Amino acid sequence: EVVMTQSPATLSVSPGGRATLSCRASQSIGSNLAWYRQKPGQAPRLLIYGASTRATGIPARFTGSGSGTEFTLTISSLQSEDFALYYCQQYNHWLPTFGQGTRLDIK
Amino acid sequence: EVQLVQSGAEVKKPGESLRISCKVSGYRFTSYWIGWVRQLPGKGPEWMGIIYPGDSGLRYSPSFQGQVTFSVDESINTAYLQWSSLKASDSAMYYCGRQGPERAFDYWGQGTLITVSS
């Protein structure tokens, strides 16, 4: 099983600011990584797949980067709806696995 | 518009059986894998497995193999997740999702909360 480790667990950033979230895989996964945002009481929503491709309807202020074992999600010009939980997911291995999440809080 | 609509919350007793549903619309049901994801309170999602409605192909996570059953009814564009004997540890939120670009879930149901308690 590929273990996904996200950091930090909690990140506090001011509205309008920039957030940088990290995700590390326990083994190389190429670019087979997705990022999701989950608001309270809602299902996750796909933001990024293929490590850097924005999903349909996702604005350009969401940027994914990385390959191999180290990945980053950068969110610029933070808006109120961005303060939520973020999960990464690898799907390189036949058994996809998620990270434990990063909570993005308002500073 | 792609939509996945799940059945409502359930409260069950240990040992009871249960089947929850995920009805899809807005795309060809038989062309995409449907997956199931468990989320325990305060935890990250867990990939349970996937089913391909086109031929009922199945892949289960080892953690859920033998514990749950996936199925589909192509005539009504609906996927199902079933338990034959629930345990208290099955209490969680369950989501269905469409496996879209590459193998990420691009559309999700709203979730079904399962509570198992005596």
Side-chain angles (χ1 to χ4, degrees):
Chain A
E1 178 178 321
V2 179
V3 178
M4 306 301 292
T5 302
Q6 293 187 241
S7 61
T10 303
L11 182 62
S12 297
V13 183
S14 300
R18 173 186 297 221
T20 302
L21 289 67
S22 296
C23 177
R24 173 178 293 177
S26 61
Q27 61 186 261
S28 179
I29 59 170
S31 296
N32 296 306
L33 183 104
W35 288 96
Y36 300 87
R37 178 180 68 189
Q38 186 174 31
K39 298 178 186 179
Q42 295 188 17
R45 179 181 181 182
L46 179 64
L47 302 173
I48 300 285
Y49 64 92
S52 62
T53 302
R54 280 186 295 276
T56 302
I58 301 303
R61 55 198 181 80
F62 289 89
T63 302
S65 63
S67 66
T69 62
E70 301 284 344
F71 299 87
T72 300
L73 174 68
T74 301
I75 314 168
S76 59
S77 303
L78 281 165
Q79 301 185 7
S80 57
E81 65 263 29
D82 298 330
F83 294 97
L85 275 165
Y86 290 82
Y87 295 101
C88 60
Q89 178 209 13
Q90 68 78 22
Y91 47 84
N92 186 65
H93 191 263
W94 77 266
L95 176 62
T97 47
F98 292 85
Q100 286 303 298
T102 290
R103 181 181 301 278
L104 182 56
D105 283 346
I106 299 175
K107 187 173 184 179
Chain B
E1 178 191 10
V2 174
Q3 287 192 311
L4 286 72
V5 179
Q6 297 184 229
S7 49
E10 301 271 2
V11 179
K12 306 292 279 186
K13 290 181 166 48
E16 292 186 329
S17 63
L18 175 65
R19 188 178 76 169
I20 63 174
S21 65
C22 172
K23 183 172 177 61
V24 314
S25 60
Y27 72 94
R28 180 175 289 184
F29 181 55
T30 53
S31 296
Y32 292 82
W33 291 82
I34 290 286
W36 290 95
V37 172
R38 183 176 78 174
Q39 190 167 32
L40 297 169
K43 302 294 187 182
E46 298 172 84
W47 189 91
M48 300 175 68
I50 50 176
I51 183 167
Y52 190 68
D55 60 8
S56 293
L58 291 162
R59 295 176 192 165
Y60 289 100
S61 162
S63 298
F64 295 94
Q65 178 85 47
Q67 307 304 309
V68 298
T69 303
F70 304 150
S71 61
V72 297
D73 185 337
E74 192 180 324
S75 68
I76 55 172
N77 290 354
T78 300
Y80 299 98
L81 168 60
Q82 183 173 331
W83 294 261
S84 59
S85 181
L86 286 160
K87 301 184 283 287
S89 56
D90 293 319
S91 297
M93 181 70 80
Y94 292 86
Y95 295 101
C96 62
R98 187 183 84 163
Q99 187 170 279
E102 302 185 5
R103 292 171 61 204
F105 289 128
D106 60 351
Y107 290 93
W108 295 65
Q110 82 277 19
T112 297
L113 181 63
I114 305 301
T115 303
V116 184
S117 174
S118 54

